[in-house]
Amino acid sequence: MHATRKLWTWLAVICVLSFAVLLWVGREIYLEAPPIPMQVRSTNGEVLFSKDHVQHGQQAWLSAGGQQLGTVWGHGSYLAPDWSADWLHREALALQDLFAERDHKSAYAELDAGSKARIDALVKTELRNNTYDAKADALVLSPIRAEAVRRTARHFDDLFGNASALDALREQYAMTPNALPDANDRKSLTGFFFWTSWAAAADRPNETGLSYTSNWPHEPLVGNTPTAGAGIWSIASVILMIGAIAGMVFFHSTHKEEEDPVPPKNDPLFDLKPTASMKATRKYFFVVAALILAQVGMGVITAHYAVEGTSFFGYPLADILPFTVSRTIHTQFAVLWIATAWLATGLYIAPAISGHEPKYQALGVNVLFYALLFIVAGSTVFGWLGTLQKQGTDFAFWIGNQGLEFTSMGRVWQILLFVGLLFWATLLGRGLWPALRKPSESRGLIAMVFLAAVCIGGFYATSLTWGKHTHYSMVEYWRWWLVHLWVEGFFEVFATAVIALLFTRLGLIRAASANSAIVLETIVFLFGGILGTLHHLYFTGTPTSVIAIGSMFSALEVVPLSIIGIEAYRNYKRSQAAPWVQNYKWAILCFIAVGFWNTVGAGLLGFAINTPIALYYMQGMNMTAAHGHAALFGVYGMLGIGLMLFCLRGLTSRLAWSDAALRPMFWMLNLGLSMMVFMSLLPAGIYQAWASITRGVWFARSPEVVHSPFMETMVWLRVPGDIVFSIGVAFLILFMWRLVFQNRAERKAAASSLAGAK
């Protein structure tokens, strides 16, 4: 007990210090973010853009699809361009032609090598020179650059309008015509795109060769190449990771873990009678199955748009389901079904652990269910309709689609979900309270479950921190608090503690050793995980300290994953501990799969893109998609399915349960995911990385690469994996379907038997 108290103290200290540093970094980002000038004007006094244009343009882009339609500073979807890199390249080309016309009365392409070199130097100087006047709060451009900005702006104005000359390009970007029908929105959009590209090339004040985005994107025309810091901190992070892994291996080799106890002869949960609130969680899991089915369907459509753009095998599907909507649903439902599975698991185990059913607990579980259903349906429908009808920025921000990846639902739905999560944490706390008050060996585990639940509810408040005019750098800062800390942090702590609790209830691990192990695992994970959030923010207009801190601590995130195989092996041995454990075989195998995908998806593929030098070239490429699919479904998805199967085992008649569909479900899901990642996404990501390194980010994201024969072949190579994966989902749906009808048949048989007895 004394050792466990020490661990809790260390956990508290690490959390306080880590969040203090994270908040301090947030303050530095706020102070050093690229300035948004009151005016962007030429030296002859012509005003090109105002601050209102830039701020409204940010919202206009988000309302048109935002991070579901290309990226800005590397964050978003992978089909359309990175708009900041695309603008920067197009403006540089426009300057080349303008300088050639001025100095040589000829097109740039017709010049000799020496003249081209001179003009290249002029272009680089023009774009890197920071002409922002802080006193006047104005960005003053030379007349020739002002003309280049006007030419570039016309392209994007036409693209987001309905100019017929760009129909083919829109098809390649999976864009629908008139993405922004309002002329003022398009004008503002060009102001926002210009500002993001200006920040990507202009030297920071009192610096040379260092832009506000730390020279991202790679663009040889303006001298955007990796900084020395990116290389140095990448090397340092690798050295730290190797040393920390060695330390972790040494620790485990010198601290022999206590052997698992002799399992009981019979299933300790066999006689568990589900309470009313536990039974009420059953419908949550059927919603989980429906959301998985919808998410997979939207994923198939979204992937196909990478080939046909706005059609699905010739049918103009984008007229009713554009790419921005299908991808929004695909990414949003992924988080929602996983979260729903975990929330339902918490509500199920609370009375099972405490042995206490609070008054009105079942009513609370039912109210929460219908509230969550309303939020999911409402946010999806209004986001869809708002996109189709182009309702504008106010509608998109408040009740439509905010356009931010994984946090896309409108602000009203976010507020309602925040209230719902707090209500869930309250229900969970009510159910666990008797067990929290009563001294026991497992009280530490129960406390960890409850604290993680409080953090899950409380930290969703970070989705409410940005407004319509919040600086884009700060929007990204807070968004990653939610995506990284909420999904990848506290939900994982919650699920890990729940699994440990379930194993202790089954008598497969000792409660005392599980207490210490879970707190220690949480310390190791959060020590790297909290400040590791910053690896998402290397190039989003942040100070260089973000690269240093983010790279070092994100390297530490890999450390616990390096020995995750040990835990997976122990879980496998536990699945064979006694004949009755076979009743939970497929749930435990899902937990073992989590260990595999933690090592491969989160560990290997994650660290492959986490170092600053790697992410410099690969941010916004398919390497990120490979890591995302392997980690999100492989780790969190399989964890959610495993928890769901565990709970359904206790909610379903033993006679109605059948493993016949679970075997193919398990193997097809994992095999299909492996095929999808390693046959399609990973090769596509490597090809794009080559394109980014050799010619620049703009080229790697251009139609020339994205719609090249190789890349389109990679899209088609997703089909075998998608089919195998979809078969796995079909078996999961079949399993859930049988549960419904077999239970109904049993109830009818029981009723008939009772009637006959009378």
Side-chain angles (χ1 to χ4, degrees):
M1 291 297 294
H2 180 67
T4 304
R5 286 197 191 97
K6 276 189 173 180
L7 289 175
W8 277 100
T9 301
W10 273 110
L11 177 60
V13 169
I14 286 169
C15 284
V16 169
L17 292 179
S18 296
F19 278 112
V21 174
L22 192 59
L23 288 169
W24 171 78
V25 171
R27 176 180 176 274
E28 292 301 300
I29 293 173
Y30 176 79
L31 293 174
E32 297 190 33
I36 304 176
M38 287 299 295
Q39 285 186 342
V40 178
R41 66 172 186 259
S42 66
T43 52
N44 59 20
E46 179 191 0
V47 176
L48 300 173
F49 306 111
S50 67
K51 184 173 185 177
D52 289 341
H53 280 130
V54 175
Q55 292 179 328
H56 183 71
Q58 177 178 313
Q59 280 302 306
W61 172 61
L62 293 174
S63 70
Q67 292 180 339
Q68 310 298 348
L69 183 66
T71 59
V72 164
W73 292 344
H75 291 294
S77 67
Y78 315 115
L79 186 52
D82 180 90
W83 303 110
S84 40
D86 195 42
W87 178 294
L88 184 59
H89 186 72
R90 290 178 184 276
E91 187 182 343
L93 293 180
L95 278 171
Q96 284 181 338
D97 285 334
L98 286 167
F99 278 124
E101 291 168 11
R102 186 193 70 180
D103 298 343
H104 301 280
K105 310 300 181 188
S106 177
Y108 174 82
E110 298 173 0
L111 299 179
D112 58 66
S115 299
K116 284 182 177 179
R118 176 181 171 277
I119 287 179
D120 289 346
L122 290 173
V123 169
K124 179 180 176 181
T125 301
E126 188 73 31
L127 290 171
R128 294 211 70 92
N129 186 25
N130 190 342
T131 56
Y132 172 68
D133 184 344
K135 291 183 179 179
D137 197 11
L139 177 59
V140 183
L141 307 181
S142 67
I144 199 166
R145 184 171 184 187
E147 177 58 26
V149 169
R150 282 191 290 269
R151 290 187 183 186
T152 309
R154 278 196 292 272
H155 167 78
F156 290 97
D157 191 300
D158 290 345
L159 182 67
F160 281 79
N162 60 357
S164 58
L166 295 178
D167 284 345
L169 190 59
R170 286 193 205 93
E171 179 79 15
Q172 292 172 322
Y173 292 167
M175 288 179 65
T176 56
N178 259 337
L180 285 173
D182 184 79
N184 184 59
D185 284 349
R186 295 197 301 273
K187 166 74 173 178
S188 298
L189 175 80
T190 59
F192 175 64
F193 285 173
F194 162 76
W195 173 78
T196 62
S197 70
W198 168 78
D203 286 337
R204 298 173 190 252
N206 304 315
E207 296 278 1
T208 301
L210 178 65
S211 74
Y212 289 101
T213 59
S214 294
N215 289 358
W216 193 92
H218 178 221
E219 176 52 85
L221 291 181
V222 301
N224 263 9
T225 55
T227 63
I232 290 170
W233 288 112
S234 296
I235 295 169
S237 67
V238 172
I239 294 172
L240 176 65
M241 182 190 69
I242 294 172
I245 290 174
M248 178 70 75
V249 172
F250 177 77
F251 176 84
H252 274 265
S253 64
T254 55
H255 291 75
K256 188 176 180 180
E257 292 189 20
E258 190 176 4
E259 291 295 324
D260 290 335
V262 177
K265 293 182 178 180
N266 299 303
D267 183 355
L269 300 181
F270 185 83
D271 296 323
L272 177 66
K273 302 298 182 185
T275 65
S277 69
M278 293 167 69
K279 292 177 181 177
T281 64
R282 195 165 176 265
K283 54 184 168 288
Y284 283 74
F285 297 116
F286 290 98
V287 169
V288 167
L291 291 175
I292 293 174
L293 192 61
Q295 190 225 343
V296 170
M298 290 297 172
V300 170
I301 293 170
T302 301
H304 188 80
Y305 278 142
V307 176
E308 285 197 71
T310 56
S311 301
F312 190 74
F313 294 101
Y315 179 77
L317 187 60
D319 292 344
I320 56 174
L321 183 64
F323 173 83
T324 54
V325 173
S326 68
R327 191 176 188 275
T328 296
I329 297 175
H330 178 62
T331 55
Q332 194 73 11
F333 276 20
V335 175
L336 288 174
W337 77 255
I338 292 169
T340 301
W342 295 4
L343 297 180
T345 299
L347 296 173
Y348 172 82
I349 68 162
I353 297 299
S354 67
H356 171 68
E357 173 85 347
K359 192 175 182 180
Y360 302 124
Q361 183 78 351
L363 175 63
V365 172
N366 285 323
V367 168
L368 179 63
F369 172 78
Y370 291 109
L372 291 176
L373 207 60
F374 173 73
I375 292 168
V376 172
S379 62
T380 303
V381 170
F382 278 91
W384 192 339
L385 291 177
T387 300
L388 283 179
Q389 298 174 8
K390 300 177 175 59
Q391 293 292 314
T393 58
D394 288 336
F395 184 95
F397 180 80
W398 287 106
I399 59 176
N401 182 355
Q402 284 196 49
L404 293 167
E405 195 174 31
F406 298 112
T407 60
S408 59
M409 63 176 62
R411 178 54 50 85
V412 169
W413 307 110
Q414 289 178 329
I415 293 170
L416 292 175
L417 183 55
F418 176 52
V419 174
L421 289 170
L422 293 180
F423 183 51
W424 168 74
T426 302
L427 291 174
L428 189 63
R430 292 176 80 236
L432 293 175
W433 187 245
L436 287 169
R437 294 181 60 187
K438 181 181 177 181
S440 67
E441 285 189 324
S442 59
R443 186 160 69 167
L445 280 176
I446 297 169
M448 183 65 78
V449 169
F450 178 65
L451 287 175
V454 171
C455 289
I456 289 169
F459 270 79
Y460 192 75
T462 55
S463 68
L464 311 178
T465 50
W466 62 82
K468 289 182 63 179
H469 301 300
T470 301
H471 194 289
Y472 192 69
S473 295
M474 294 306 298
V475 171
E476 283 296 278
Y477 170 75
W478 288 115
R479 187 175 74 89
W480 284 109
W481 267 62
L482 181 62
V483 176
H484 185 91
L485 287 175
W486 190 67
V487 177
E488 300 180 36
F490 297 112
F491 257 125
E492 183 154 328
V493 172
F494 171 80
T496 306
V498 166
I499 291 171
L501 262 179
L502 293 174
F503 278 154
T504 58
R505 287 283 292 172
L506 291 174
L508 299 179
I509 60 176
R510 289 183 172 85
S513 59
N515 273 334
S516 299
I518 288 300
V519 181
L520 183 59
E521 285 179 23
T522 304
I523 288 172
V524 173
F525 180 77
L526 293 184
F527 182 66
I530 294 173
L531 291 176
T533 305
L534 297 175
H535 81 261
H536 298 285
L537 304 173
Y538 291 154
F539 312 118
T540 55
T542 55
T544 53
S545 58
V546 168
I547 292 179
I549 299 171
S551 61
M552 299 301 281
F553 282 90
S554 66
L556 293 176
E557 288 185 274
V558 182
V559 174
L561 304 180
S562 63
I563 57 168
I564 205 76
I566 297 173
E567 187 62 24
Y569 176 74
R570 289 172 69 89
N571 283 340
Y572 174 73
K573 299 298 290 183
R574 287 162 186 155
S575 71
Q576 301 177 322
W580 59 265
V581 182
Q582 292 300 301
N583 294 330
Y584 305 97
K585 174 183 177 180
W586 296 107
I588 295 175
L589 281 178
C590 285
F591 301 151
I592 294 171
V594 169
F596 170 80
W597 288 111
N598 246 325
T599 301
V600 174
L604 293 176
L605 295 178
F607 191 71
I609 61 174
N610 274 6
T611 58
I613 195 67
L615 200 59
Y616 179 82
Y617 291 110
M618 292 189 282
Q619 179 154 287
M621 311 295 172
N622 273 280
M623 282 293 291
T624 305
H627 159 62
H629 281 74
L632 187 59
F633 184 86
V635 178
Y636 304 109
M638 291 306 297
L639 194 54
I641 291 173
L643 293 173
M644 178 174 73
L645 294 178
F646 208 107
C647 296
L648 286 173
R649 187 73 197 183
L651 292 168
T652 307
S653 166
R654 300 281 168 147
L655 297 177
W657 188 276
S658 173
D659 285 346
L662 293 180
R663 179 188 298 274
M665 179 275 296
F666 175 82
W667 292 112
M668 291 291 186
L669 287 180
N670 284 283
L671 178 60
L673 180 61
S674 299
M675 293 169 67
M676 188 190 311
V677 169
F678 295 108
M679 287 175 55
S680 175
L681 294 174
L682 187 60
I686 294 171
Y687 181 72
Q688 277 190 300
W690 165 82
S692 176
I693 293 168
T694 55
R695 294 185 59 181
V697 169
W698 72 272
F699 180 66
R701 297 289 300 273
S702 69
E704 185 178 346
V705 169
V706 173
H707 289 281
S708 65
F710 177 83
M711 289 292 285
E712 292 201 349
T713 301
M714 290 301 101
V715 174
W716 286 112
L717 277 177
R718 277 193 62 166
V719 174
D722 286 349
I723 291 173
V724 172
F725 188 88
S726 299
I727 293 172
V729 172
F731 275 108
L732 177 61
I733 301 300
L734 176 63
F735 169 77
M736 303 291 287
W737 184 268
R738 285 179 174 177
L739 286 187
V740 173
F741 284 95
Q742 287 178 352
N743 271 352
R744 285 181 180 174
E746 283 198 4
R747 286 197 298 268
K748 286 182 179 179
S752 299
S753 176
L754 183 61
K758 291 181 178 179

